[in-house]
């Protein structure tokens, strides 16, 4: 007789896999923060205002003379906070009671990350981008969609259970 997977077992395994992925990524945020540096948009980073051709890192002078109105943290702080959020989400996905809320938050987080990936693509296809950076970010950007869909799928209640 073939083995049949219950909806609950499939969701638990899927949540554990997403949790492992998030935890691995969270650890990488602290071990290799430079890997995430290009994905943090410049306009979010509280850094010394720079004027001139290198203000945004893409060869263009910012329209506001170097002031970044949306900047609330440094690039390093954004990387650390996103690593902490991913670590917290990894735990939340493993707890059935918090899984739906956490999966919703992870879906939103991955969706927000699209802005960073789009900004990174814009910059690496500028004059300072290297072919390796172009390849890496061209591959990373579309990978967000399966992650978003996967996180969203963890919101569903397994068959045979009430919400």
């Amino acid at each position: 007789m073939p083995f049949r997977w219950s909806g609950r077992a499939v969701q638990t395994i899927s949540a554990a896999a997403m949790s492992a992925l998030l935890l691995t990524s969270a650890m990488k945020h602290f071990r290799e923060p430079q890997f995430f540096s290009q994905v943090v948009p410049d306009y979010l980073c509280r850094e010394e205002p720079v004027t001139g051709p290198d203000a945004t890192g893409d060869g263009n002078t910012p329209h506001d003379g170097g002031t970044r109105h949306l900047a609330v943290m440094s690039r390093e702080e954004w990387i650390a906070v996103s690593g902490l959020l991913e670590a917290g989400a990894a735990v939340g996905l493993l707890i059935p009671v918090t899984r739906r809320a956490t999966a919703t938050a992870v879906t939103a987080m991955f969706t927000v990350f699209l802005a960073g990936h789009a900004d990174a693509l814009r910059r690496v296809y500028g004059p300072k981008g290297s072919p390796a950076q172009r390849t890496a970010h061209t591959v990373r950007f579309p990978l967000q969609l399966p992650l978003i869909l996967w996180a969203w799928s963890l919101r569903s209640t397994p068959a045979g259970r009430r919400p």
Side-chain angles (χ1 to χ4, degrees):
M1 177 162 82
F3 180 76
R4 296 186 64 176
W5 290 85
S6 70
R8 184 176 188 172
V10 170
Q11 187 187 48
T12 299
I13 291 169
S14 183
M18 172 73 75
S19 178
L21 177 77
L22 286 167
L23 192 56
T24 300
S25 177
M27 289 187 306
K28 190 172 181 107
H29 276 75
F30 297 100
R31 288 186 179 153
E32 297 177 52
Q34 71 280 3
F35 179 79
F36 300 96
S37 184
Q38 286 187 324
V39 184
V40 180
D42 291 337
Y43 56 83
L44 292 178
C45 298
R46 185 190 69 233
E47 295 171 356
E48 290 298 314
V50 179
T51 56
D54 292 324
T56 61
D58 63 358
N60 298 318
T61 302
H63 299 292
D64 59 7
T67 304
R68 297 174 179 169
H69 298 289
L70 297 175
V72 293
M73 291 189 283
S74 70
R75 185 174 311 280
E76 294 76 18
E77 290 168 336
W78 279 112
I79 293 168
V81 167
S82 62
L84 290 172
L85 288 172
E86 288 182 357
V91 173
L93 288 175
L94 295 176
I95 303 168
V97 172
T98 62
R99 185 171 298 148
R100 182 177 177 88
T102 303
T104 302
V106 171
T107 301
M109 181 177 70
F110 285 149
T111 302
V112 168
F113 286 174
L114 279 172
H117 287 287
D119 188 63
L121 275 173
R122 177 191 60 80
R123 283 185 278 123
V124 300
Y125 277 94
K128 293 190 175 200
S130 70
Q133 290 172 326
R134 289 181 183 119
T135 300
H137 290 291
T138 300
V139 170
R140 283 174 87 176
F141 183 78
L143 289 177
Q144 288 301 114
L145 181 60
L147 290 172
I148 291 167
L149 295 173
W150 183 12
W152 185 258
S153 74
L154 294 174
R155 295 180 72 254
S156 66
T157 304
R161 291 186 60 207
R162 292 183 178 243

